[in-house]
Structure formats: structure tokens, C-alpha cells
Amino acid sequence: MQEAEPARVTVTDLACRRGDRMLFARLSLALGAGEAVQVAGHNGIGKSSLLRIVAGLAPAYAGSVSVEGAIGLLDERPALDPALPLGKALAFWALLDGDAGTDHLRRLGLAALLDVPVRYLSTGQKKRAALARLLGQKAQVWLLDEPLNGLDSHAAELTEAIVAEHCASGGIAVIASHQPFRLAGMRVLPLPEYAA
Amino acid sequence: MMGRVTTLLRRDLARLLLGGKGGGALLPVLFFLSVAMLYPFAVGPDAPLLARTGGGVIWVAALLAAILPLDRLVEPDIELGLFDQWALRGISEELVIAVRVLAHWLSFGPPLMLAALPAAALLGLDGATLRIVEIGLLAGTPGLAALGVTVAALTAGLRGGAALSGLLVIPMAVPVLIFGAGSLGTGGTSGLALTAAASLVLIAIAPFAGGAAVRASRG
């Protein structure tokens, strides 16, 4: 987060269509540095689709998205090689991201798991590993898709604390979650209100 | 940029060359050798016949061996979300596919060229024929690698993608096979040059076709 340019996410009149079904329309959203929003709504309402459109990984049906700052995405796929030990799988991303830190591994309780192949990790452990990858990326805009899924209460609190620190240091967080996410000053975007 | 290419290439080689559960480079080589071993059993111990047709058999075996690892070339990385994470870091699908073509070729091209030596002995090929086979494989296998990665990207996520990709590769590999195996009959350099040309076309297309296919699979 050394870049001089402050992070910013602007979504204007966005509409999303999956197949022949319109998921949401006329959605506008503006986030500045340090702000966070929870995209709320039941399953299938289009929370993940919204995040993927903001990330530029899926096309918008209408409207526009503009993002200042590097984007980090945390979704249900940890993007770690299942056959590799966790340490090596994370080292691959650390090399790409130019990240040499190991503090977040200890903090996330992963230090003892570095020799364990990723496929033997539990859902919660994989989620924490993905969070470590996200921290190493040092992106300013975090898109978190169900970040608390599969985490126990301790890890969930830790995740909330990490997101709070991210926002306190000028980062942006867009959190898609159907469960409550505790974060001071976070707005809530009720996606069902934009359902088309 | 170069650092990223090196990092990607090292990961690809660790997966494709050394193995994991797919068997790495060893499986295509063993498959290739077993075809070369079976052929004399099937046609009988007629040395002139074996020597005349052996080069073509090596080419067919090489083509089939190149198909074996197709299902783990692209699809696992899409499913695991790696391509999405690369895209967010500004690493294009084209770059990843180009690196993968190189890694795929390194994991089966040179090993097959080495395995062609014992295969030539099994089939009773003479030195001159073996030389043309080796040069032909050097010219042709990069094209087969590019074709394999392209088709693997196109069929990623489809039901029965592995079987389908094998079926798709075979007809598109026909030009490489015709020129490569054809150079044995004519003994000339023109066949080898055409093999290399067909190979280059496939290599030039692969990053763009494969990259577009990976993006299209996001839906």
C-alpha cells in the first residue's frame, strides 16, 4: 500500500445477467480509501457475480466499474496446488507478489502446517491459507467472497480484525457474506433491493 | 516480468516434468516405448518391413504419447482459481499459456527424443533413418505441444473433456505427422522444413487461442 494514488471503487448503474436471468440492475456504489461494504443477500442473488464483475473477471451486462488500486480476490478456491506442501504452494505466490514476510503465517496459525500437502488441509485451514496469500499480495482493494465460511469463531474474529486493519491503513474491502461480518463503520448493501 | 516467467515456468516444470499423481514425464515415455515394443510383436519379425515402417510407428507413438497429459495441462488451474489470481496480478492468460507450451514440450519432447534411441533399436532402424526421425521429432514435437495446450484450454470444463481433447488433437496433428513421417520416405530436408513450418504455425496460434479459451471458460 505504498502507492500514492488512494484506492477507489466506483460502480455505476451496474446490471448483471446470468444466462437469461437478470440478477440485479441499476446498482451504484462508491467506495473511497478506508471504506468497507458488506454485500448482503441470500444465496444465488448475485453476490459472487458482483464481486467477479468488480474484479474484471466477468463482463457487466450494463453499467460500468472503475477501480483504482490493485485488486485482491478471496473466494472459495484457495488457488493453491493441492499436491504441494502448504509452504511451497504459498511460496509460489510470494515469489509472484514479491513478498518475503512470514509474520502473517504465524498470525494465521499456519506456521505448523507448512509441510502438510494442501489437499490434506481442512476447509478452515485452506481459507486461512488463502487469507495469507491475500495478505502477501498487498493489494489495496479486497474482494472477499464469503470470507467466514468454514472458519471457527476464533479464526472468524481474526479475519474481521485483519480486514479492519486493512481498512485502517487505507484499503478498501467489499465483503460478500450471508452471515454477519463485524467491522466498525462498514456499510451494508442489500442486494435484493436491486433485484430485477 | 522475467522473474514472473521464471516462477511460472518452474511451477509448470515441477508439475509436468517431475510428476505428482500424473506420473510426470515418465508416463508418456513408457507409453511410447511400449508401443515401439508391441509393434514388432504385432507384425512379426520381418526386419526389412520393420525398418521400412518403424519410423512412422515412432511418429504415431510420439503423437499418442503427447496426448496423455492433456487433461492436467490447463483445467486444474482454471478450477483452482489460479488463472483468476494471475489475471488480477496482470499476468495475462496468453503469457501463462505460452509458458505452459514450453513446459509441456520440455516434459515430453526431449524425453521422447531420448526414448527414440532404444525404440529405433527395437524396430531395427538404420542410422540415417534414426537421424531423420530425431530431427523430425525436434521440429515437430514443439508443434504437438502447442496443439496439446491449445486443445486442453479449449476443452477445459467440458464434460468428457479429456477424451474429447484426444479426439480433437489427432486430426489437427495430421500436418505435422504427414510432413514428419513423410520426410522419412523422401529422405530430404524439405519434409523436415515443412514439419518445422507446421510446428511454428501451431506455436504462433497457441497463446492467443488458448488464452481466449481460458477467458471464455469464465463465462
Side-chain angles (χ1 to χ4, degrees):
Chain A
M1 272 158 265
Q2 287 88 4
E3 280 103 314
E5 196 78 20
R8 195 174 52 76
V9 173
T10 314
V11 172
T12 317
D13 274 333
L14 192 69
C16 168
R17 193 173 144 140
R18 297 282 290 179
D20 52 3
R21 210 158 61 90
M22 205 70 166
L23 287 179
F24 54 80
R26 292 179 305 282
L27 188 151
S28 293
L29 174 69
L31 290 167
E35 291 186 309
V37 65
Q38 176 175 11
V39 184
H42 53 80
N43 292 337
I45 193 84
K47 300 191 294 289
S48 300
S49 298
L50 172 61
L51 257 54
R52 290 184 66 78
I53 292 172
V54 173
L57 295 170
Y61 179 67
S64 66
V65 172
S66 91
V67 177
E68 295 280 350
I71 297 175
L73 173 70
L74 179 80
D75 58 13
E76 79 282 9
R77 301 163 307 167
L80 299 167
D81 283 312
L84 286 186
L86 176 62
K88 285 196 172 163
L90 283 172
F92 171 72
W93 292 110
L95 271 174
L96 284 181
D97 294 329
D99 166 58
T102 51
D103 290 349
H104 43 264
L105 295 180
R106 219 166 299 118
R107 186 173 178 203
L108 286 159
L110 297 168
L113 298 170
L114 295 181
D115 294 329
V116 180
V118 171
R119 65 167 175 274
Y120 293 133
L121 297 180
S122 73
T123 312
Q125 287 167 335
K126 277 184 199 159
K127 200 89 192 186
R128 278 185 278 151
L131 198 58
R133 188 204 68 221
L134 179 71
L135 279 167
Q137 193 189 348
K138 299 188 180 72
Q140 292 151 296
V141 179
W142 280 8
L143 306 175
L144 312 174
D145 194 356
E146 301 290 355
L148 301 183
N149 261 11
L151 292 180
D152 56 31
S153 58
H154 171 70
E157 279 169 26
L158 183 60
T159 305
E160 287 166 346
I162 287 173
V163 175
E165 284 166 26
H166 170 70
C167 291
S169 62
I172 289 178
V174 181
I175 302 153
S177 180
H178 64 271
Q179 43 194 350
F181 194 97
R182 279 161 301 177
L183 185 62
M186 181 177 67
R187 285 188 273 156
V188 173
L189 177 78
L191 205 50
E193 287 183 9
Y194 299 90
Chain B
M1 179 69 181
M2 264 336 274
R4 286 180 154 185
V5 170
T6 317
T7 307
L8 288 174
L9 184 63
R10 202 175 304 137
R11 170 177 177 271
D12 284 358
L13 283 178
R15 279 176 65 246
L16 295 173
L17 195 59
L18 304 177
K21 63 183 173 174
L26 196 61
L27 200 64
V29 167
L30 289 178
F31 177 84
F32 174 81
L33 281 176
S34 54
V35 172
M37 212 166 63
L38 280 175
Y39 183 67
F41 286 127
V43 300
D46 179 353
L49 177 69
L50 284 179
R52 203 172 65 244
T53 55
V57 172
I58 287 185
W59 264 100
V60 172
L63 170 58
L64 296 179
I67 290 174
L68 286 181
L70 285 191
D71 58 330
R72 58 201 176 89
L73 278 180
V74 177
E75 179 159 21
D77 286 358
I78 294 180
E79 266 175 22
L80 289 167
L82 285 148
F83 274 100
D84 288 351
Q85 294 292 337
W86 285 322
L88 292 176
R89 286 161 175 80
I91 302 172
S92 69
E93 289 79 9
E94 284 79 3
L95 177 70
V96 176
I97 294 290
V99 170
R100 188 136 315 168
V101 168
L102 177 61
H104 178 39
W105 179 74
L106 285 172
S107 74
F108 90 90
L112 282 196
M113 288 174 64
L114 276 179
L117 297 173
L122 285 167
L123 297 166
L125 299 189
D126 57 40
T129 312
L130 176 61
R131 201 173 60 90
I132 297 176
V133 167
E134 290 285 11
I135 298 174
L137 286 178
L138 182 62
T141 46
L144 294 182
L147 180 59
V149 174
T150 308
V151 169
L154 281 168
T155 56
L158 297 182
R159 220 158 6 109
L164 187 62
S165 53
L167 274 179
L168 280 170
V169 162
I170 290 171
M172 292 204 278
V174 163
V176 175
L177 187 70
I178 287 180
F179 296 132
S183 65
L184 291 163
T186 59
T189 50
S190 55
L192 293 173
L194 284 168
T195 310
S199 222
L200 280 175
V201 170
L202 291 169
I203 292 170
I205 293 171
F208 304 103
V214 169
R215 271 195 300 277
S217 75
R218 287 202 180 104

